[in-house]
Structure formats: C-alpha cells, structure tokens
Amino acid sequence: MDAGSESKLQLVHRHIRAFPDFPKKGILFRDICPILKDPAALTAVIDLFEEHVKKNHKRVDLIAGLDARGFLFGPLLAQRMGVGFVLIRKKGKLPGATVSVAYDLEYGKAEAEIQADAVSPGQKVLLIDDLLATGGTLYAACELMRQQQAEVLGCMVVIELKELNGIDRVKPHSVFSLVQY
C-alpha cells in the first residue's frame, strides 16, 4: 500500500469510535457515524474501495448495498465507478416482485430480498456493507446473487470483526475490509 493509501486508512481508522455494552452488555459497538460526518474521511473510504476495485476487478456491472449502511457507501462507489447500484433490503421493504433468502442471525432469523429484476444473469456484482461480524447478512446477499445467476466478484466492508469469523460464512467469496478488529 502506498503512503497516500496508508494515510487514508489511518484517517478512516481514527474516525471509528467504540461504544462498550451497546446494544447490550458485552458488545463493543464500532460506530461509523464520525466517518459520515467528516467529508475527508468519507472520501478516503470511497477512494480506498475504488483503488481496491480497480486493482482487482477488470469489469464490474453493479454494486449491491446491504440494508442499511451499505446504502451509505455503495451509491458513492457506484457513481465513482460509473456502474449501477442495487438495494438488498430486509424483507417487506421493496415494491414489486422480489426474491428473498432466509438466514440465521446471532439471536434469531431474518430474510433479505432484492427486486426480481434488479440483477440479470451473468452480471458481475460487488457487495458492500459497513461491517462484517458473523457473516449472516453477507451470506444471504451472496445467496441472492446466486439465485439471480449473477457473479459475485467479492464483498467489501469498512470494518471486519475478525474474532467472529464471518469471513468463513461467505466463502468461497473474498472479503476486502479496510479496518479489522
């Protein structure tokens, strides 16, 4: 990584704050809100994602963002890359015909969905979210893309919580994370 990229990464890291015991006792919550509040930090995130994509993927057709924080970074990256952006939402939030996948969370079950016409067979898609923890949501997103016969090029997150091994859940897909804890 060159000095400019390293400097951007340090800026991003400085703008992530920790909240102990949120949303419940024993959890150390990593908050990205300071990144969003600081234009330079937000630009650094998108710069670093763009650099990764250009270095590792010759062709990208779509960026798919996961509900809800993937919606913050995904459109900015998609616009920068000159590609479309699609939403992967919690069940019941999208109009029209949808395709859904059920998945397990740490403390229950959930469903993710995409509009049936959002992704075409063969399209090359990058998935983006703010955080990789246990990997359930990213796994569901990968499964949605598989159902749509799209090719998942990889997953990108701002933060990866390595001790939760979420990366194992999304294999064989690669995960690029800016900051790891």
Side-chain angles (χ1 to χ4, degrees):
M1 184 176 288
D2 66 34
S5 296
E6 186 61 40
S7 169
K8 289 175 186 177
L9 197 53
Q10 289 172 7
L11 177 64
V12 170
H13 198 275
R14 285 194 311 270
H15 281 79
I16 296 169
R17 61 185 171 182
F19 285 97
D21 299 322
F22 182 84
K24 64 181 218 161
K25 189 159 181 61
I27 303 286
L28 181 61
F29 186 87
R30 303 293 180 167
D31 181 26
I32 60 155
C33 290
I35 291 172
L36 301 171
K37 194 168 96 173
D38 184 283
L42 181 56
T43 298
V45 167
I46 303 308
D47 287 350
L48 291 163
F49 280 148
E50 180 185 24
E51 178 183 301
H52 170 77
V53 172
K54 286 183 174 178
K55 190 182 299 182
N56 294 283
H57 304 290
K58 293 192 186 325
R59 181 178 140 219
V60 175
D61 297 315
L62 292 171
I63 306 287
L66 281 68
D67 198 343
R69 292 182 189 103
F71 301 170
L72 302 171
F73 302 106
L76 296 172
L77 180 61
Q79 183 182 42
R80 186 90 66 88
M81 301 295 303
V83 300
F85 176 78
V86 297
L87 305 171
I88 297 176
R89 301 271 342 242
K90 293 174 179 79
K91 185 151 179 73
K93 301 291 185 183
L94 291 169
T98 61
V99 176
S100 66
V101 168
Y103 62 100
D104 293 325
L105 295 169
E106 273 183 88
Y107 307 107
K109 294 191 179 292
E111 277 188 76
E113 69 181 358
I114 190 168
Q115 290 177 315
D117 63 354
V119 180
S120 300
Q123 283 192 301
K124 296 178 181 307
V125 181
L126 283 168
L127 302 173
I128 192 167
D129 204 0
D130 69 321
L131 178 83
L132 173 61
T134 62
T137 310
L138 268 177
Y139 168 79
C142 291
E143 282 298 300
L144 282 171
M145 294 302 111
R146 186 185 60 73
Q147 284 183 14
Q148 297 300 94
Q149 300 173 5
E151 180 185 344
V152 174
L153 298 173
C155 306
M156 298 183 299
V157 295
V158 178
I159 301 168
E160 179 184 354
L161 302 178
K162 294 189 76 76
E163 68 184 27
L164 297 177
N165 297 316
I167 199 165
D168 293 339
R169 187 98 184 263
V170 298
K171 284 181 180 173
H173 304 294
S174 65
V175 175
F176 173 71
S177 55
L178 297 180
V179 177
Q180 301 82 33
Y181 293 102

